Amino acid sequence: MRKTLITLALFPILLMLMLTALIGIALQQDKMSKSDLRFLVDLGQRHGPGAIIEVITREFYGVDPASSPDPSYGRTQITGRGHAPWVIRGNLDGRPRMLQFALAPGLWAAYDTQKQSLYQAWEGDVLFEGAAYDYKHGPQPISAGQWYLRDMEGAQWFIEVDGQDIPATVKYLGYEYGVGQKTAVMQFALSAGHHYLELAEQPEVIERDGVRYLSRHFRQIGGQTGVRAGFRSSSGERYLTQSTVELALSTTTAIALQTSPDLSASITDTELAQGKAVINSSDCLGCHALNHKVTGPAWTEIAGKFRGKAQPTVNASLTQRVLDGSVGQWGKVPMPPHPQLSYDEAAAAVAYILSVREQRAERYPPKDENGRPYVATQDYDVLPRLTSQHPSFRLENLAPEGFEPKVGGLAFRDDGKLVVASWDRDGAVFLVDPKPDQKSEVQRIAEGLHEPLGLTIVDDRLFVLQKQELTELIDNNNDGVIDRYRAVSYDWPSSTNFHSFAFGLLHADDYFYFLLSICVLPGGASCPDQLSTQGKLLRADKAGKVETYASGFRTP
């Protein structure tokens, strides 16, 4: 026992000695730069020395420290990238439809695919939070660390014709991996009048004279010849895409860590009194009452709808409705605008309304023939439960031991193999090969998708429904692994709400059908404002054009 305790006490020291030796050797052999060292220090502060050892042995020495079978079924660390998967679709920093690249250990770049614009290049990490990542309701992934480059507004694209810049519309076409998944390029199209270009951009990090640069290598892959494409950043710099654009990664700015709203926070008695005074001195009580409906809903009814959801998005939306007026939220009778109120006064009134608790009215429950109130029971009638399998069916377990995907989509190929989309942190797609009288084989064929919850096969072509995009998965070189992620359609509005799922994917009569759930606040209440396509069944044609087919759904 004494020896065991001594060993345990020495373990942290031995770990630090091992860590120091690995770093020292890497520095002596020029395998590690000062920026790499800064990243490792930051990594150790967040995840401990074990994470540093894993990164050093894998990225600088090419040794995978994992000694047990891969529980993720094929998650592959690409040397030099620092994260697997290293190309990821998803939300980031409150922005939808982002594409993120782990360019090097601790160095990321993120693009807004709707504008084909570099949003941010930063040193640090991505905090993958949310239902698909850590089971939390509400948060979504955010960046952490220090940013080198950031463009909050987005690039403005143009096509240069005869020395004149013509503003262009950009359309994201998807992305494609190179040999061995070691490189990746984004593909997009520009159109301006009758001018049309298709381009590809490959982001990489290079180092020269001790300075790191974000290298944005552009090339034309289709469209018109004899014209040039370019873009202007939000700060006004003009760039042409005839060659590589290099942006120095030198000065950094700390990323302000975003936090989820505290749903338990309450307003003070003084603030409540201010809100009540605003209501008493306005025309609100002509249409509303505390506990019963007049022309408009009771305060208790409004508060009940958003119970426990007193967060900035709700308060701001309701405050604006008070100021601007509203109709259709609680019936056909419009609520008039209140221009006489300041924004702070309207916000105080909203805060008071959301704090109201339901007044318990005297209840008159129905009574039985003996004068006693009816008592609820859990009795119900059901048919006899099945005790054995019906002889018409044969059940087979196709999943080998340890393979437990969060199934978001299933489809059989003509060769009998099963394609499975998994709703998890990797956004992976697997191919299950059922072997007669043998253990099934599982192969990871795609990854980095954004919460895939739909999958179908049409004429041997594989389509998957991401949270904000319908995508075709293409194997260019027939090696069994997806190389190209072609954007078929994203012709509907999107948000970063954690609950804005896209469900199911059916194909019929040359259309793809899928359902969008509504926006929901943490805790379950519906968001006060919904996008035009939320809660609707949509269908997309071959060209990607989307139309509403049916409506009135919640979380279908």
Side-chain angles (χ1 to χ4, degrees):
M1 180 69 177
R2 180 182 178 83
K3 291 181 178 179
T4 302
L5 291 174
I6 293 174
T7 302
L8 290 173
L10 290 175
F11 181 75
I13 300 175
L14 295 173
L15 191 62
M16 291 306 297
L17 288 173
M18 178 181 176
L19 183 57
T20 303
L22 287 172
I23 292 176
I25 295 172
L27 288 171
Q28 290 176 1
Q29 297 179 354
D30 293 327
K31 293 177 178 289
M32 183 185 300
S33 65
K34 291 183 179 180
S35 58
D36 293 329
L37 184 58
R38 289 198 303 270
F39 160 70
L40 291 174
V41 171
D42 184 56
L43 180 70
Q45 291 174 343
R46 296 196 308 272
H47 302 294
I52 302 178
I53 292 176
E54 180 180 347
V55 169
I56 291 176
T57 54
R58 182 181 66 244
E59 301 296 341
F60 301 110
Y61 296 100
V63 178
D64 188 352
S67 57
S68 58
D70 180 12
S72 62
Y73 278 90
R75 183 191 299 151
T76 302
Q77 294 279 356
I78 302 298
T79 302
R81 294 304 182 184
H83 191 276
W86 72 276
V87 181
I88 306 167
R89 289 301 306 272
N91 298 325
L92 183 72
D93 295 349
R95 294 167 174 263
R97 292 181 173 144
M98 303 294 285
L99 184 62
Q100 303 153 56
F101 295 85
L103 297 178
L107 190 60
W108 294 78
Y111 286 76
D112 182 339
T113 62
Q114 297 180 118
K115 299 178 180 180
Q116 191 51 43
S117 175
L118 175 67
Y119 156 63
Q120 181 173 272
W122 75 101
E123 186 176 63
D125 210 344
V126 176
L127 305 183
F128 289 99
E129 298 179 323
Y133 309 101
D134 58 7
Y135 304 101
K136 293 180 181 178
H137 283 200
Q140 287 288 275
I142 58 175
S143 58
Q146 303 84 35
W147 59 264
Y148 292 103
L149 307 168
R150 176 181 278 188
D151 191 335
M152 301 293 287
E153 301 300 324
Q156 299 296 318
W157 285 90
F158 60 83
I159 294 178
E160 184 189 71
V161 182
D162 298 329
Q164 181 181 1
D165 294 349
I166 304 176
T169 301
V170 64
K171 180 180 181 182
Y172 172 72
L173 302 178
Y175 63 96
E176 185 173 343
Y177 284 107
V179 178
Q181 313 279 304
K182 295 180 181 179
T183 60
V185 298
M186 293 168 285
Q187 299 166 336
F188 58 102
L190 298 178
S191 57
H194 63 277
H195 303 291
Y196 179 82
L197 291 172
E198 289 188 8
L199 302 173
E201 177 183 349
Q202 178 179 338
E204 291 289 357
V205 172
I206 61 174
E207 188 163 342
R208 187 171 59 248
D209 300 328
V211 179
R212 288 195 296 184
Y213 296 85
L214 174 63
S215 169
R216 303 179 62 182
H217 179 69
F218 296 92
R219 61 185 173 88
Q220 185 172 336
I221 58 176
Q224 183 180 353
T225 59
V227 296
R228 302 193 298 180
F231 64 92
R232 285 186 175 83
S233 67
S234 60
S235 54
E237 292 91 346
R238 181 180 184 272
Y239 300 95
L240 290 174
T241 60
Q242 294 297 104
S243 59
T244 300
V245 174
E246 292 185 359
L247 305 172
L249 304 179
S250 52
T251 306
T252 62
T253 302
I255 297 174
L257 194 62
Q258 303 176 35
T259 57
S260 301
D262 181 8
L263 300 182
S264 64
S266 59
I267 61 176
T268 65
D269 291 340
T270 301
E271 291 170 324
L272 287 177
Q274 291 174 345
K276 188 174 183 179
V278 170
I279 289 174
N280 289 338
S281 61
S282 69
D283 61 355
C284 298
L285 297 179
C287 297
H288 303 274
L290 178 66
N291 203 41
H292 65 276
K293 182 176 181 179
V294 187
T295 305
W299 298 149
T300 53
E301 190 176 2
I302 298 173
K305 181 176 181 179
F306 304 106
R307 180 73 64 213
K309 314 301 181 302
Q311 52 180 300
T313 53
V314 176
N315 289 27
S317 176
L318 296 180
T319 298
Q320 205 60 50
R321 287 187 196 171
V322 171
L323 293 172
D324 298 340
S326 175
V327 65
Q329 302 296 328
W330 298 91
K332 296 181 179 180
V333 179
M335 178 178 70
H338 295 80
Q340 74 277 12
L341 298 179
S342 69
Y343 186 91
D344 290 342
E345 289 173 331
V350 167
Y352 168 77
I353 293 169
L354 294 180
S355 72
V356 171
R357 293 292 183 266
E358 182 179 4
Q359 307 295 309
R360 288 192 172 273
E362 189 171 345
R363 304 294 182 185
Y364 297 97
K367 298 178 181 180
D368 61 19
E369 57 187 7
N370 297 317
R372 293 190 295 266
Y374 283 102
V375 179
T377 71
Q378 294 185 355
D379 296 336
Y380 51 89
D381 296 327
V382 296
L383 296 173
R385 295 180 181 274
L386 297 178
T387 57
S388 63
Q389 179 181 315
H390 194 281
S392 298
F393 291 92
R394 183 183 69 187
L395 301 183
E396 295 182 39
N397 182 8
L398 302 183
E401 184 178 356
F403 179 57
E404 299 178 355
K406 298 178 182 176
V407 178
L410 296 169
F412 277 101
R413 299 197 321 192
D414 289 342
D415 60 5
K417 296 181 180 180
L418 177 64
V419 185
V420 182
S422 184
W423 185 79
D424 57 23
R425 55 148 282 187
D426 284 3
V429 176
F430 300 94
L431 186 65
V432 180
D433 185 6
K435 299 287 187 180
D437 303 321
Q438 297 181 40
K439 179 180 175 181
S440 298
E441 294 181 356
V442 176
Q443 178 188 7
R444 176 184 290 233
I445 62 172
E447 62 184 7
L449 297 168
H450 187 194
E451 300 187 32
L453 288 173
L455 185 150
T456 190
I457 296 174
V458 182
D459 298 330
D460 294 328
R461 298 167 63 186
L462 176 58
F463 297 87
V464 65
L465 182 66
Q466 302 189 64
K467 197 169 189 175
Q468 298 164 355
E469 181 183 292
L470 173 59
T471 311
E472 182 180 6
L473 306 183
I474 303 172
D475 178 9
N476 284 330
N477 54 11
N478 296 316
D479 65 351
V481 178
I482 299 303
D483 308 296
R484 185 182 176 195
Y485 295 68
R486 184 178 75 89
V488 178
S489 179
Y490 47 92
D491 185 26
W492 64 91
S494 62
S495 78
T496 56
N497 176 254
F498 81 100
H499 193 272
S500 299
F501 304 110
F503 288 106
L505 186 60
L506 298 177
H507 184 267
D509 302 326
D510 290 332
Y511 285 97
F512 292 96
Y513 294 82
F514 52 94
L515 288 140
L516 303 184
S517 66
I518 66 168
C519 172
V520 169
L521 299 170
S526 302
C527 297
D529 295 305
Q530 301 287 335
L531 297 177
S532 60
T533 53
Q534 289 180 317
K536 294 182 180 180
L537 171 62
L538 306 182
R539 71 176 185 180
D541 61 19
K542 291 181 179 180
K545 183 179 179 181
V546 168
E547 62 181 354
T548 299
Y549 190 73
S551 60
F553 302 97
R554 192 172 195 272
T555 307

